[in-house]
Amino acid sequence: QVTLWLKKIYGDVPVPEYEVNERTVDILHEVMECNEERDRDVMLLIEDLKDRATKYEAEADYWQDILGESLGLSVGSLSQEATTDLIDLVESAVELEAEDTSLTSFYSAINYMSSELYKTKSENEEMELKLKTLTKKLTSSLALEKQLADDITKLKESQDAEKAKAVIRSKNLKFLEDKSKDLKIRITDAEDELVAMGLDQSLTHEALMKSSE
């Protein structure tokens, strides 16, 4: 089936070579079925269009006979103005998708289109309102986002400044602690030196502090 279908598709042109296995044949068979189904649908559509065309032609002939025999009207007998009006009438009916060219059909079609136009305008106005609301919200959100970004930047700068101050304070504290230790050592060394030189123990810094307490 697949081979015959490919020959039918390509006609006089040789069928391109392809790897023949179960998978490729299954795929081609599926494509073949889809193609044949589409062809059937197209043929049905063509037959339907031919049937409609035949009916329209028969109806046109019927009305042409009515107009010619009863009213003595034909395309050639109409004036240029009448022909133009008739063409405008037909084009208007087609544009409005009217059932026929009667006044009732025209009014119905115009009312329907007016209703659709009003509906479209209402939907457009609703969309514009939504757009304005969303734009307002977006603008507010962007402003808030910028404010938050500025606040974060300021907070970071403030934290960096506090960190710098803390580092300076830590260095100063370390310096004072080291200085205090150094002074204590000097005092102790000086007292030991004075004691070695015969200084009364009651006059040392530690003894004087205890006496003061």
Side-chain angles (χ1 to χ4, degrees):
Q1 286 182 341
V2 171
T3 302
L4 293 175
W5 173 69
L6 289 173
K7 289 181 178 179
K8 177 183 176 183
I9 292 294
Y10 283 93
D12 297 333
V13 181
V15 177
E17 294 184 2
Y18 64 94
E19 183 179 351
V20 180
N21 54 48
E22 185 177 355
R23 182 172 180 275
T24 57
V25 172
D26 286 342
I27 293 173
L28 287 171
H29 189 268
E30 185 177 351
V31 174
M32 179 193 73
E33 290 181 339
C34 292
N35 184 265
E36 290 178 346
E37 185 178 355
R38 185 197 62 185
D39 289 345
R40 286 193 294 269
D41 292 340
V42 171
M43 289 302 298
L44 289 173
L45 180 61
I46 291 174
E47 291 299 324
D48 180 61
L49 293 176
K50 286 181 178 179
D51 184 55
R52 290 188 183 185
T54 302
K55 290 180 179 179
Y56 290 149
E57 287 176 359
E59 188 174 355
D61 292 339
Y62 169 76
W63 283 109
Q64 188 170 358
D65 291 340
I66 293 294
L67 292 173
E69 294 177 2
S70 302
L71 302 175
L73 294 175
S74 65
V75 176
S77 66
L78 295 176
S79 65
Q80 182 63 38
E81 184 180 1
T83 303
T84 302
D85 290 340
L86 182 60
I87 293 173
D88 290 341
L89 187 66
V90 173
E91 289 180 350
S92 298
V94 173
E95 188 69 26
L96 292 170
E97 297 181 359
E99 293 183 2
D100 49 46
T101 56
S102 66
L103 196 58
T104 303
S105 295
F106 275 119
Y107 276 140
S108 297
I110 291 172
N111 287 335
Y112 174 76
M113 292 195 73
S114 299
S115 176
E116 288 295 309
L117 178 61
Y118 176 77
K119 181 180 177 182
T120 303
K121 285 183 177 180
S122 298
E123 290 176 352
N124 288 340
E125 290 174 357
E126 184 178 353
M127 288 297 294
E128 287 179 2
L129 181 60
K130 287 183 179 179
L131 180 61
K132 288 180 180 178
T133 303
L134 290 174
T135 303
K136 186 177 180 180
K137 289 182 178 179
L138 179 60
T139 303
S140 177
S141 298
L142 291 174
L144 179 59
E145 182 183 8
K146 186 177 183 304
Q147 182 63 45
L148 289 174
D150 293 342
D151 291 343
I152 291 172
T153 301
K154 290 178 181 178
L155 180 60
K156 186 177 179 181
E157 292 175 352
S158 176
Q159 288 177 341
D160 292 341
E162 288 297 325
K163 286 180 181 179
K165 290 181 181 178
V167 171
I168 294 173
R169 292 193 191 102
S170 178
K171 289 181 179 179
N172 290 339
L173 179 61
K174 182 69 169 54
F175 172 77
L176 292 175
E177 289 177 347
D178 293 342
K179 194 68 176 177
S180 175
K181 290 179 181 178
D182 181 61
L183 289 175
K184 287 180 179 179
I185 293 172
R186 287 187 182 185
I187 290 171
T188 302
D189 291 343
E191 288 177 346
D192 292 341
E193 189 177 343
L194 289 173
V195 170
M197 294 173 61
L199 177 67
D200 187 353
Q201 290 287 340
S202 63
L203 297 177
T204 62
H205 177 71
E206 186 178 352
L208 292 173
M209 288 295 295
K210 288 182 179 180
S211 176
S212 174
E213 292 173 359

